[in-house]
Amino acid sequence: MARLPILEVPDPRLRRRSVPVSAVTDELRTLVADMFETMYDAAGIGLAAAQVDRPIRLLVIDLVDGPPDAEGRSTRNPRVFINPEILEPSEETSVYNEGCLSVPDQYAEVARPARIRARWRDLGWVEHEATLDGLLATCLQHEMDHLEGILFIDHLSRLRREMLLKKLAKARAEAAREKAA
Ligand code: K1U
Ligand code: ZN
């Protein structure tokens, strides 16, 4: 397994529309394993292939919501979504303070449909359809946005987005200064 570099704003590769996956190959299985390693290493709960420069309709999620093990540690619950589709979004919305590994250390409240009826394939090419809610629904919608080249900051007002990007630029400049010192 390998950790992959995560693209960050304003990289134009994050703005591409991802293409459907046509089959599960050994190469795809390796990419999925690498994406999980990359996501866990970055302490994220989701990652789209587009964020690691593979513009295909593939994403992984692990909310680490499995039952705790004997030592009380939470266990992993890795989920793979291939060619995901939203069939029915709810009218009701919910707000979550979202982050994104491609917009490091910046958070903002985003309103999205609270529940979605979704369809996707897994690594065995089995089709699934389910109604999802809570953080899983929020995270899946956030990751599916990546497949369209959309970032969570695009859901904010222009003023909020510019403030957030300014904060990010300041944090990057500060980190560069500390590295040079
Ligand atoms: O970059 C990404 O797409 C991953 C992103 C997913 C996400 C987070 C919050 C709401 C929707 C989607 C992250 O994991 S950023 C890290 C983060 O915000 C977080 C980490 C652990 C628990 C909760 C949030
Ligand atoms: Zn993201």
Side-chain angles (χ1 to χ4, degrees), residues 80 118-122 126-130:
V80 179
R119 185 192 289 150
W120 69 94
R121 286 187 187 272
D122 65 19
V126 175
E127 192 173 86
H128 299 266
E129 205 181 297

Side-chain angles (χ1 to χ4, degrees), residues 51 99-102 142-143 146:
Q51 292 176 275
C100 180
L101 300 175
S102 296
H142 173 117
E143 301 309 332
H146 279 299

Side-chain angles (χ1 to χ4, degrees), residues 80-93:
V80 179
F81 295 80
I82 298 171
N83 298 337
E85 295 168 68
I86 293 177
L87 308 172
E88 245 178 84
S90 66
E91 298 239 328
E92 185 196 340
T93 57

